[in-house]
Amino acid sequence: MFQVKGIDPTGRSVTFACGTDEQAMERTWDLARRGFRDVTVVDLKGKETSAAAFEQSLDIDWMTD
């Protein structure tokens, strides 16, 4: 299970559980849109990385037209 951690706009630390790496990435995007800061992802091995580094590690292939 992946964990996504962040600090909400009121300053509270929150953690969300995600079953897959894609769900974790979508959660980081959602939190960023909602004004969370210091968003990190804890992977299956317990390694904590920033949301940006996690996104790069997924090697997402964006479709371009």
Side-chain angles (χ1 to χ4, degrees):
M1 179 180 330
F2 291 85
Q3 293 181 357
V4 179
K5 299 179 180 184
I7 299 175
D8 73 9
T10 66
R12 289 183 298 157
S13 178
V14 293
T15 301
F16 299 90
C18 300
T20 67
D21 56 353
E22 287 104 6
Q23 289 172 340
M25 190 72 261
E26 288 175 9
R27 177 61 68 177
T28 65
W29 294 333
D30 176 54
L31 296 181
R33 283 191 301 271
R34 293 171 43 199
F36 281 66
R37 64 183 194 277
D38 300 330
V39 177
T40 60
V41 178
V42 180
D43 67 14
L44 300 173
K45 296 179 181 177
K47 180 181 175 191
E48 188 169 352
T49 58
S50 70
F54 182 72
E55 183 175 0
Q56 289 178 345
S57 74
L58 292 181
D59 193 31
I60 297 172
D61 187 20
W62 297 105
M63 293 179 44
T64 57
D65 293 334

